[in-house]
Amino acid sequence: FDKWKNIDHLLEYNIIVVNRDNIDINKYVEKFNKKDNFIVIDNFDYLPISSTFIRANIDSENSKEFLDEKVMEYIKRKKIY
């Protein structure tokens, strides 16, 4: 998260974070000292995918299982992978 571009600007807004893979998200929230900016959602059922997975599989047929086709087309068109 801290490697994102414009992180200081992003931290001006509320950020929804979904806890996953037994990661203690609170240590990251504390790192930025912006506890009020983060909305942490626990006990959320999700597919074990990530943006890294999507980038690695952007042109794969398997990607259609995880993202809506319109979303995938938008990602490709805007080159945000």
Side-chain angles (χ1 to χ4, degrees), residues 13-59:
Y13 301 94
N14 288 331
I15 299 170
I16 298 172
V17 181
V18 178
N19 250 344
R20 62 186 177 123
D21 296 334
N22 299 319
I23 296 172
D24 181 9
I25 198 64
N26 292 314
K27 75 176 183 178
Y28 295 100
V29 170
E30 290 172 11
K31 178 180 181 178
F32 292 104
N33 199 24
K34 299 274 190 174
K35 291 181 182 181
D36 294 336
N37 294 64
F38 290 87
I39 302 168
V40 179
I41 301 176
D42 289 313
N43 302 320
F44 184 80
D45 290 333
Y46 68 96
L47 294 173
I49 62 171
S50 65
S51 56
T52 302
F53 174 86
I54 296 300
R55 282 190 299 274
N57 295 283
I58 193 81
D59 291 321

Side-chain angles (χ1 to χ4, degrees), residues 49-81:
I49 62 171
S50 65
S51 56
T52 302
F53 174 86
I54 296 300
R55 282 190 299 274
N57 295 283
I58 193 81
D59 291 321
S60 166
E61 284 295 315
N62 294 336
S63 63
K64 293 178 182 178
E65 296 177 36
F66 301 106
L67 289 178
D68 181 271
E69 187 175 336
K70 290 180 182 177
V71 173
M72 190 62 75
E73 287 176 19
Y74 180 85
I75 290 170
K76 288 179 179 180
R77 187 172 62 250
K78 299 289 184 173
K79 298 181 182 178
I80 54 175
Y81 50 89

